[in-house]
Amino acid sequence: MDGAGNIVDEDLIDREVEYTQAKIRLAPQNQSPWNYLRGLLRKRGSLLECKAFAEEFGGDVDGEGEGCRSSRALDFLADCWAEEKEKEKAGKALELLAKRFDPIRRNYWNYRRGLLGLGAVEA
């Protein structure tokens, strides 16, 4: 059972996570499977189960995002790091999204930085 008292079929969620990861590998920039994966993992209670998977696509946030193959993975990693209370690392990922990988949604990424108690990123 989950926190809301609903019955959760762990085997079904395991299969769905595997299926979703396979689809992400086919198209890492497709936002839909990343959102579905996020929903599956939240049903279990934590995104951290797939953090290593997301790191395959997220690149190096300590630098300037070298090796980033998916801005969606960077977004997912920002949520993971926020869950781990690593605000600065999450903020850096959101900064890279705002400045380099998804500047059209800079206001949204700044909003997310604000939720972490961090300042806005200038263009």
Side-chain angles (χ1 to χ4, degrees):
M1 294 186 117
D2 67 3
N6 299 319
I7 295 174
V8 177
D9 184 345
E10 293 295 330
D11 292 333
L12 175 63
I13 291 178
D14 287 340
R15 289 191 307 271
E16 288 295 308
V17 166
E18 288 175 23
Y19 175 81
T20 304
Q21 288 177 336
K23 296 308 172 189
I24 288 171
R25 283 190 173 90
L26 292 174
Q29 271 299 97
N30 185 347
Q31 187 172 2
S32 293
W34 285 105
N35 289 342
Y36 185 58
L37 181 63
R38 202 181 249 113
L40 289 169
L41 297 174
R42 284 195 174 133
K43 189 73 171 168
R44 281 196 173 149
S46 176
L47 299 178
L48 300 178
E49 174 183 335
C50 288
K51 180 181 170 191
F53 172 77
E55 287 173 336
E56 294 176 31
F57 303 95
D60 176 25
V61 295
D62 294 325
E64 288 303 311
E66 290 82 14
C68 182
R69 299 186 303 150
S70 172
S71 60
R72 308 304 173 201
L74 207 51
D75 176 21
F76 187 92
L77 286 169
D79 284 345
C80 288
W81 290 318
E83 187 176 317
E84 293 178 315
K85 307 293 188 232
E86 292 187 46
K87 289 183 179 184
E88 293 304 317
K89 203 164 188 178
K92 178 62 176 176
L94 296 169
E95 178 182 343
L96 286 169
L97 286 162
K99 285 185 171 181
R100 181 172 178 190
F101 296 110
D102 194 7
I104 197 79
R105 297 192 315 159
R106 184 179 72 240
N107 289 337
Y108 172 68
W109 303 123
N110 281 333
Y111 165 76
R112 295 264 310 271
R113 282 178 56 86
L115 292 175
L116 295 172
L118 303 171
V121 173
E122 296 301 320

